[in-house]
Amino acid sequence: MRYEDEPVNMGEGPDLQHLDEQIEQGLRASMQAQPNGQDALDPELLRELQAFYQPRGQAFHQGLNRVWSRLEQHGVASTQPRKLRSGFAAHPGLPQERIPLHPVQRFLRTGQRWTSRASILLTAALLVVLVSALTVGLILVHHNGNSTNGGPPTPTATSIPSPTAVPFTVTSVDLAVTPDSIAGTTCGSTASFTYTATFHIPAGTAGGTIQFEYTLNGGRSSTPASVNVGPGETTHTYTFTSSGTLPPDHTYPGLAEVLVNSPNVVNSPQVQPTGSCSAAAAFKVTGVDMAVSPTSIAGKACGTQLTVTYTATFHIAPNSPGGTIQFTYTINNGRGATPASITVAAGQTTATYSFTWSGKLPPDHTSPEPGGISVSSPNQITSALVGPTGTCS
């Protein structure tokens, strides 16, 4: 990592070794030239050493000074004066002509220089990484904090938005009808229908009023209505009814629909009972069944008071519009007759009528006698005659 510093050239080791070998050869030649075997320090050699090491030493110390300055700016290092020299100068006490130096010592000093340089380079790299990390951390703290004094950031109150009520709307409307079919009914008969509308509202609304209209005839006419929906309600129902005669042209019941116009516009599906009424047949009595009670008087004592009930069951043609059946009944085997009538509804297929005989059982067994029905309208038909079996004793 660089801070405007000249990069450390790790490839200069071979150059240094080559220079050291030249220095060693120069010293060895100088020592051999001296008669007393003393080492002599060549001034040219000193100048070469100074020219090579002094700029690098100055650059390294300048880099260390910048590192310390940044540490001091961020309060990481002490602000006491630093005892760093800006460069390598010639020692004032160093003799200019000769330096007593044993070859083994020169070799050891050469190794020490390599170890010292490697240690310095490693230390500088670690310091640069440390300063960079601290600088980034301080910048982040300063950026996130609310004060410039380096203290902890003051927490700011975050306003929580109040929940907003969901707008009151009708999302959809369902519509159902009961009964949902008129199949099997007779045209001309009366029918009643119940319609139930279900309004769907989003959750979380404050409620409100739904204004709408409903139609029973495909929109040719309509009836206004409204319902009040409470807060939080998601469904609300409304019921309306219709009654009428099922016509042969099947125009009733018609298409029903709910049309909402407030708080928004939405329509329900159209509904209508399925099937259709059957065409009315001619009103006609197809048969009459007779029944009597009690069915037997055997074992009863003559002179006992008794009531005998005759019941006629009329059978009417299906799908008839109904009407009135005109007839007479007899309780004395046809010697006498009493007129009567009964009303039958449209589509009705059976109807019953009862009549009675009361009296004491005579010893000559002349009563009770057979009874029956003779229909005169809407058509003519006569029933069989029936009476209790057995005789009194």
Side-chain angles (χ1 to χ4, degrees):
M1 183 176 294
R2 296 177 53 194
Y3 289 90
E4 296 84 29
D5 295 338
E6 184 177 350
V8 177
N9 186 5
M10 301 305 293
E12 69 181 359
D15 295 337
L16 291 173
Q17 183 177 4
H18 180 66
L19 180 61
D20 288 342
E21 291 175 356
Q22 291 179 350
I23 295 170
E24 184 69 21
Q25 292 175 3
L27 290 175
R28 188 179 298 109
S30 176
M31 181 181 65
Q32 291 175 357
Q34 297 294 329
N36 55 0
Q38 296 290 331
D39 288 339
L41 189 60
D42 188 1
E44 183 65 25
L45 180 60
L46 287 176
R47 283 192 297 272
E48 292 179 359
L49 290 174
Q50 185 176 6
F52 183 83
Y53 285 107
Q54 186 171 0
R56 287 160 176 78
Q58 290 175 349
F60 176 73
H61 281 284
Q62 290 173 1
L64 288 181
N65 285 336
R66 282 193 293 272
V67 169
W68 278 107
S69 296
R70 293 186 181 184
L71 291 175
E72 291 170 358
Q73 289 174 3
H74 295 286
V76 178
S78 173
T79 59
Q80 295 179 358
R82 300 182 300 277
K83 297 180 180 180
L84 295 176
R85 292 179 296 178
S86 60
F88 292 119
H91 197 280
L94 185 65
Q96 299 297 322
E97 297 295 331
R98 298 177 59 85
I99 298 178
L101 188 64
H102 194 272
V104 175
Q105 293 176 338
R106 288 198 303 272
F107 175 77
L108 293 176
R109 289 198 176 185
T110 301
Q112 291 173 356
R113 284 199 306 271
W114 279 100
T115 304
S116 176
R117 285 178 60 84
S119 300
I120 291 173
L121 290 175
L122 180 59
T123 303
L126 292 176
L127 285 175
V128 170
V129 172
L130 176 61
V131 170
S132 300
L134 290 175
T135 302
V136 173
L138 290 173
I139 291 174
L140 291 176
V141 171
H142 177 74
H143 177 72
N144 294 329
N146 292 325
S147 61
T148 59
N149 57 2
T154 304
T156 58
T158 303
S159 61
I160 301 175
S162 59
T164 304
V166 177
F168 178 62
T169 57
V170 178
T171 56
S172 62
V173 185
D174 297 333
L175 187 60
V177 59
T178 302
D180 58 359
S181 176
I182 58 172
T185 58
T186 302
C187 295
S189 62
T190 302
S192 180
F193 304 94
T194 300
Y195 299 86
T196 301
T198 302
F199 301 92
H200 296 274
I201 305 100
T205 70
T209 301
I210 302 175
Q211 303 283 349
F212 62 96
E213 297 178 349
Y214 63 85
T215 179
L216 296 166
N217 52 16
R220 293 192 301 275
S221 63
S222 61
T223 303
S226 65
V227 293
N228 294 321
V229 178
E233 280 191 76
T234 56
T235 59
H236 200 92
T237 59
Y238 180 83
T239 300
F240 52 97
T241 60
S242 175
S243 298
T245 300
L246 300 177
D249 58 2
H250 313 297
T251 55
Y252 178 84
L255 291 172
E257 185 178 6
V258 172
L259 304 93
V260 177
N261 50 59
S262 178
N264 58 299
V265 176
V266 62
N267 298 343
S268 74
Q270 292 181 333
V271 299
Q272 183 180 29
T274 60
S276 58
C277 61
S278 301
F283 179 53
K284 181 180 179 180
V285 176
T286 59
V288 181
D289 295 334
M290 293 296 302
V292 63
S293 180
T295 59
S296 175
I297 60 173
K300 294 185 180 295
C302 294
T304 303
Q305 184 70 30
L306 182 67
T307 298
V308 178
T309 301
Y310 301 88
T311 301
T313 301
F314 302 90
H315 295 274
I316 303 100
N319 302 321
S320 73
T324 300
I325 302 174
Q326 302 287 343
F327 62 94
T328 60
Y329 65 88
T330 179
I331 57 175
N332 55 12
N333 203 20
R335 293 191 304 273
T338 304
S341 65
I342 187 173
T343 301
V344 177
Q348 188 174 345
T349 56
T350 60
T352 60
Y353 183 84
S354 296
F355 51 97
T356 62
W357 170 87
S358 295
K360 292 182 179 180
L361 296 175
D364 58 4
H365 311 297
T366 55
S367 294
E369 296 183 80
I373 292 289
S374 178
V375 176
S376 58
S377 178
N379 56 300
Q380 291 184 351
I381 189 171
T382 301
S383 71
L385 297 175
V386 296
T389 61
T391 58
C392 61
S393 57

